[in-house]
Amino acid sequence: MPPFPNKGGSRRAFSATRAAPGVAGLLAGACLAAYFIYPDESRSAPTSQDAPLSPTHFTPATLLSSETCNHDTKLIKLNIPKHLIPVDGSLHGCRPIWSIFVKDDDIQVERPYTPLEGIDEEGNMLLWVKAYPKGEVGRWLHSKKPNEQIEIRGPLQTWLWNENEWDEVVMISGGTGITPFYQLFHSVIRPAGSTSGTRFTLLHSSRTPSDFPPPLMMRQLMDYAEQHSDRFRLGLFVDSDDGSAASRNTFREGRINLEAVRKYTEPDSPQNWWNRAFSSSKPTTSPQRRILFLVCGPEPMISAIAGPYGRNFSQGPVGGILAELGCTSAQVRKL
Ligand SMILES: Cc1cc2nc3c(=O)[nH]c(=O)nc-3n(C[C@H](O)[C@H](O)[C@H](O)COP(=O)(O)OP(=O)(O)OC[C@H]3O[C@@H](n4cnc5c(N)ncnc54)[C@H](O)[C@@H]3O)c2cc1C
């Protein structure tokens, strides 16, 4: 699964096709030719007007609204007709965490995006989308207006939440990498009366407070963390403070580093879960806690926190901060 891109580069060869003049243009032309000559199962998926949303074909969705959040992100609401909502199970074959592919019709390229609140009974999906200066699909999506049609396919499983599999889940995100975690928050963590015994921590980092997720997301996360601190902890970080936030008490300036991960995952008690999990002097009466770290964001951040991806977007060995903390590969998932 390709990661969220970093500012400097993309692993998608066809990203250059719009911009490059001269020699680079020839190269881009060759890429484009190859793109059309070599078959690709996903891109050539048919479009269906009447079969339920599925990974095997594209479904036309209508863009209902597009709201600017800050200089490079928008909240985009898509809708598919009710009869096209997948129906296997309860809402509906879409188990968190899942995403959809959005196809840029102009150049026939698709990218995955994460419906923040899943899909509702009316077929609505809300996306928080970042447009990169030379990125393809993000900029294309930002240019779309209400009532325009957009082709999507899915659901695609980003990672599968299973109740009672983990005692602790620690989510670490950067930028729009928070979207899969917000979906988990919305669908699993927050629902009233949830009986889940899992405790969650979300550590999120943005460049500045103006780059934080839109208020719709921030309010829910902050309120819930305040009201249910035993079940959900939230740590917000910025690279630098641009002075845009109403309160400075809600975030820390600086990267999510070893000290920060320790601080946010280390309660006061000496018999805390962290010690139970990683200390060599584990209390013999207490079974080892099952802890998972999920990491999602730009590649440099993934590398610093959990080590780089392996070849062909495999998970690769655990590195970075989580390796320093002694995590095993079973305890770390790079989304
Ligand atoms: C499971 C999953 C869920 C995701 N969910 C979301 C989400 O909810 N919201 C969201 O915003 N994103 C999400 N993403 C990321 C998203 O899929 C795209 O990767 C992202 O939007 C960038 O795509 P793009 O086509 O706009 O940019 P791309 O064209 O892929 O470019 C990305 C970056 O590479 C640079 N670049 C492009 N071409 C070149 C080149 N030739 N040389 C050097 N650099 C270049 C661009 O300037 C840009 O910085 C998700 C990714 C995954 C894997």
Side-chain angles (χ1 to χ4, degrees), residues 52-169:
L53 183 68
S54 150
T56 58
H57 61 251
F58 284 100
T59 297
T62 306
L63 187 143
L64 294 185
S65 61
S66 179
E67 181 194 323
T68 299
C69 304
N70 55 32
H71 70 285
D72 60 5
T73 68
K74 286 191 176 188
L75 264 181
I76 294 175
K77 193 183 220 175
L78 301 180
N79 175 269
I80 57 169
K82 272 181 171 180
H83 68 280
L84 300 185
I85 300 173
V87 285
D88 49 332
S90 69
L91 264 193
H92 286 293
C94 302
R95 293 183 57 198
I97 301 171
W98 59 277
S99 59
I100 50 168
F101 269 118
V102 170
K103 183 167 80 175
D104 173 344
D105 269 340
D106 291 351
I107 55 166
Q108 303 292 305
V109 165
E110 61 180 10
R111 299 277 190 268
Y113 293 91
T114 312
L116 295 171
E117 301 178 349
I119 185 165
D120 72 14
E121 315 255 341
E122 302 300 319
N124 296 317
M125 284 165 278
L126 191 59
L127 308 175
W128 186 42
V129 176
K130 176 167 175 171
Y132 296 84
K134 290 182 183 163
E136 300 287 4
V137 181
R139 284 190 306 141
W140 180 84
L141 260 174
H142 276 214
S143 75
K144 293 288 142 187
K145 303 271 182 298
N147 295 323
E148 290 195 64
Q149 299 278 296
I150 285 167
E151 295 200 351
I152 61 173
R153 67 182 183 94
L156 300 135
Q157 204 75 59
T158 307
W159 174 78
L160 186 59
W161 163 255
N162 281 317
E163 193 62 59
N164 296 326
E165 199 175 351
W166 303 101
D167 299 313
E168 299 277 344
V169 174

Side-chain angles (χ1 to χ4, degrees), residues 5-16 111 134-136 299:
N6 68 58
K7 197 160 176 275
S10 161
R11 296 200 198 184
R12 304 254 181 173
F14 303 111
S15 299
R111 299 277 190 268
K134 290 182 183 163
E136 300 287 4
E299 270 183 271

